Amino acid sequence: MTALAKNGAARPVETPAVPSFREATRLWAKIGLLSFGGPAGQIALMHKELVEERRWIGEERFLHALNYCMLLPGPEAQQLAVYIGWLLHRTAGGLVAGLLFVLPGALVMLGLSGFYMLYNDAPVVEALFFGVKAAVLAVVVEAVIRIGKRALKNRAMVAIAVAAFLAIYVLRLPFPLIVLAAGLIGWIGSRFAPGLFSGSAHGKGSADADRLGVVDQMFERGELGHTLPSRWHALRTIAIWLPVWLGPVAIITLLAGPASVWAQLGGFFGLMAVVTFGGAYAVLAYVAQAAVTSFGWLSPGEMIDGLGLAETTPGPLILVLQFVGFTAAYRHAGFASPLLAGSLGSLLTLWVTFVPCFFWIFLGAPYIEQLRQNKALAAALGAITAAVVGVIMNLALWFALHVVFGKVASVGWGVEVPVLSSLDWRAGLLSAAAMVAMFRLKLGMLPTLAGSALAGLALLAL
């Protein structure tokens, strides 16, 4: 390849070498350790490392892979890592990339969950989490604004978002039903009003979009035969990965019984892995509703604490589900000690949440070209994203009620309203300060969380 130098003369562009498996493993470990900041920050980190610095994959193919991952349930950043790892080094590469993306944060979350259950009653720890809750509210509000700007581009999308908010807040409809309804509206709308329901792209490439990466060159040389779907590809992948995913759930249900907390965790979070379109914030509203109200695994305040813990760890924000699984099993230990039961519950939740991410990629990646050109499917995804905004609005309201007010009352249709006399001015002050820090001062998430925790400690000391 050649490029133009400053004087207009052609200069050669060094062709990047195909990375070894060991070299790729080191990079995936680095990405896993540094993947703070939610999916936007994680995708930006992968783009910097894989496209800009190492040129292992070209800009256009990177965006194509991201488009496919956005069509899937689950954390798109981890799936993108699995996809690129699979392109470079087949199934083993995808496994290593996906595992190293999750493992550092999962280990930290396991330790923090145990620490929380043992010491959350300590005054200092309680004060720190008091401040963290206020910052979490600001983080969720920021997510509503960020996703809303991207998704709500016309009145139809705004209407879907409002309908989704009313459906989950007023009617208490389950999140999976809202996702399916929004997708169906987008699918049908693309046929009758394509101008309103056209799928949006993730953005155009940069001026260097035509530069070929390692993967692109390997395609040109015919070295990526594993990316071509064979006749038995889908059946073979399903036959391998469905038992891997659901086998542990079936075994533990047989051993502990269908009414055990283990069976409940496996079944509930296994379902979540299928319907978590739109990222972690979207599913958190439904998980919080079910974990707190339906199953009684933890309190609203503890759910917010868990989200605060997940915000401080590397890896996908959906790791907050690991905290929920730990807490549920810790309090319903049964045959084991609470810490051992909590650890097993945490691992089971991790398994049923993240194994499907590998399944979706290994099953569907060879058919990415067909999926990428499907305009109706893109429209369905756009409508789902709009519905996700409404669901996250519900999550923000739910957090605000339980952070700023000590008590809430249920009125008609199960709608919760705050008891005004229970207003906690300290929590309101911290939440407002966290929003100023993030929106006006443009502080990052981690500095805002740390500052709010220290401020909470100071306020409660006074």
Side-chain angles (χ1 to χ4, degrees), residues 15-52:
T15 301
V18 178
S20 66
F21 189 83
R22 178 179 295 183
E23 185 181 359
T25 299
R26 288 197 297 267
L27 179 61
W28 294 124
K30 174 185 177 181
I31 290 174
L33 289 169
L34 298 178
S35 57
F36 295 93
Q42 292 156 2
I43 292 169
L45 174 62
M46 280 191 281
H47 185 275
K48 177 176 179 292
E49 295 285 348
L50 295 166
V51 179
E52 296 178 8

Side-chain angles (χ1 to χ4, degrees), residues 27-28 67 93 100 120 126 129 151 164 173 236 252 255 285 289 299 316 325 436:
L27 179 61
W28 294 124
N67 286 339
L100 291 179
N120 69 317
E126 184 179 358
F129 276 100
L173 294 181
R236 184 173 63 249
I252 204 167
L255 293 177
Q289 178 182 337
S299 69
V436 170

